[in-house]
Amino acid sequence: ILPFASVNQILLLLLVLTVCAILYNKVHNVPSSLKNETVDLESPEEMEEEIPIVICAAAGRMGAAIAAISSIYSNSEANILFYVVGLKNSIPHIRKWIENSKLKEIKYKIVEFNPMVLKGKIRQDASRPELLQPLNFVRFYLPLLIQKHEKVIYLDDDVIVQGDIQELYETKLAPGHAAAFSDDCDLPSTHEMVRSVGMQNTYMGFLDYRKQAIRDLGISPSTCSFNPGVIVANMTEWKHQRITKQLEKWMQRNVEENLYSSTLGGGVATSPMLIVFYGKHSTINPMWHIRHLGWSPDTRYSEHFLQDAKLLHWNGRYKPWDYPSVHTDLWENWFIPDPSGKFKLTRPES
């Protein structure tokens, strides 16, 4: 017969083993559905909001879109979805370029833009025919192209992003505002550039104030303009305010009454936006849109200033893939050569 103390020790040992067995089962026999939920909760892909970026890939300047996408993707850890918009005949080229380069890792959708939506809405302008390209008006139709997102970034193709695009995406839009832009008077460092190339940065440079329809708007001609090459847009407000319909209305009025001044290259896509969004837009941090790099082939910003910039925009005639142009080295850092060889950089030695 075992001593009483030994029986107690055995019972205690059995109790400890039983408790251990119960705990083991609790830890290791978690229902599989619960296990999956735990994995999903810890997955950064599931937690992170998708950032939709709309960028156009036009024939003849497709390398611009490639460089822009490359710069955005390389400088951010964000969960980015690129909407690459093109015309039917150029889509195979841009798809092949992406899939046969290091950009094959990006998340993207190719979207075909139908230029027929612009029929009867564009007045021909012989002085700047490049501004009449259908893809210049993609920004008017964002809700038709992008269905599932509340907030969207639109970028012109002639930009380079040096910061984390998440910062731009987090731009706050005031209640009731459908979009945020950069005001053309916002950054003192750019004022000298504007003066040196004789460029307008007010509504006078875009709208023809000799026309009664423009004077009836009640907008002072000295009002600071904004640049719609970088847009952070709220799709719910855009649809609620019928922004696309408003823009189309002013396009049609321009066809009939010639309301936009084209002498300074203000462009037929900027002017209707200046009217529709007058006094009803939020502002983007100025360092997220350093522009006018394409306005002169020899007027340059300081290198130190450009290093601090988050986004560079070569708006104007002198593009960084052509010659002459300025600060081309900053752009070429992100350019990826065309695997098909169709798109080539224009350089003095070529």
Side-chain angles (χ1 to χ4, degrees), residues 269-286:
T270 297
S271 300
M273 298 196 88
L274 290 177
I275 296 171
V276 170
F277 285 101
Y278 170 70
K280 293 188 293 187
H281 69 274
S282 298
T283 55
I284 288 170
N285 177 334

Side-chain angles (χ1 to χ4, degrees), residues 13-308:
L13 182 62
L14 289 171
L15 181 62
V16 169
L17 290 171
T18 304
V19 170
C20 288
I22 291 167
L23 288 173
Y24 181 89
N25 285 333
K26 276 188 178 292
V27 170
H28 289 273
N29 292 335
V30 179
S32 60
S33 60
L34 192 57
K35 275 186 185 172
N36 288 341
E37 277 179 34
T38 308
V39 170
D40 285 345
L41 284 171
E42 290 174 356
S43 165
E45 286 293 314
E46 293 296 319
M47 293 287 286
E48 213 174 8
E49 187 175 3
E50 199 168 60
I51 298 179
I53 299 176
V54 177
I55 195 157
C56 295
R61 49 191 287 162
M62 219 165 271
I66 289 291
I69 291 168
S70 168
S71 70
I72 295 162
Y73 180 66
S74 301
N75 287 308
S76 180
E77 297 293 324
N79 181 19
I80 301 167
L81 174 59
F82 292 98
Y83 285 85
V84 184
V85 185
L87 301 181
K88 188 174 185 178
N89 59 355
S90 62
I91 283 174
H93 185 187
I94 192 72
R95 180 178 276 119
K96 185 176 179 183
W97 201 331
I98 291 171
E99 290 177 357
N100 289 281
S101 71
K102 65 182 181 184
L103 291 182
K104 62 179 176 289
E105 298 170 356
I106 68 170
K107 281 168 62 179
Y108 73 101
K109 291 183 179 178
I110 301 280
V111 181
E112 182 185 339
F113 183 68
N114 184 353
M116 289 306 293
V117 300
L118 301 171
K119 193 172 166 115
K121 300 185 184 80
I122 301 177
R123 184 184 187 86
Q124 296 306 307
D125 182 354
S127 67
R128 296 290 302 276
E130 74 276 13
L131 296 175
L132 302 177
Q133 295 301 320
L135 294 180
N136 275 337
F137 300 91
V138 161
R139 69 197 97 190
F140 288 17
Y141 297 95
L142 292 177
L144 301 181
L145 300 168
I146 313 300
Q147 302 294 334
K148 65 173 186 168
H149 301 282
E150 167 76 5
K151 198 174 186 182
V152 171
I153 293 174
Y154 166 88
L155 298 175
D156 275 354
D157 61 358
D158 51 356
V159 305
I160 286 299
V161 173
Q162 301 186 137
D164 185 343
I165 202 73
Q166 180 89 38
E167 280 181 45
L168 181 61
Y169 185 71
E170 288 169 1
T171 298
K172 294 280 188 291
L173 273 67
H177 285 179
F181 308 96
S182 288
D183 285 319
D184 281 330
C185 308
D186 60 8
L187 201 61
S189 309
T190 65
H191 295 175
E192 189 179 333
M193 172 75 86
V194 169
R195 283 193 298 272
S196 68
V197 296
M199 180 173 48
Q200 287 278 358
N201 59 0
T202 64
Y203 273 59
M204 175 71 88
F206 296 86
L207 307 179
D208 189 345
Y209 276 83
R210 294 170 299 180
K211 302 293 167 68
Q212 188 62 43
I214 296 301
R215 294 200 299 274
D216 288 346
L217 290 168
I219 302 172
S220 166
S222 62
T223 300
C224 191
S225 53
F226 58 79
N227 186 299
V230 176
I231 308 173
V232 181
N234 180 309
M235 293 294 91
T236 303
E237 279 295 337
W238 193 292
K239 288 182 273 194
H240 175 67
Q241 296 179 33
R242 297 167 63 84
I243 297 290
T244 298
K245 287 290 180 196
Q246 291 188 59
L247 291 166
E248 287 185 326
K249 180 190 87 170
W250 283 103
M251 290 168 78
Q252 282 165 329
R253 286 198 69 176
N254 183 56
V255 170
E256 296 156 12
E257 303 172 50
N258 193 18
L259 303 175
Y260 311 156
S261 167
S262 61
T263 53
L264 293 160
V268 286
T270 297
S271 300
M273 298 196 88
L274 290 177
I275 296 171
V276 170
F277 285 101
Y278 170 70
K280 293 188 293 187
H281 69 274
S282 298
T283 55
I284 288 170
N285 177 334
M287 295 306 284
W288 267 102
H289 194 177
I290 303 302
R291 44 212 179 275
H292 318 317
L293 277 76
W295 273 86
S296 166
D298 44 35
T299 305
R300 302 172 67 90
Y301 285 111
S302 83
E303 294 298 330
H304 179 70
F305 174 67
L306 293 184
Q307 281 168 11
D308 292 339

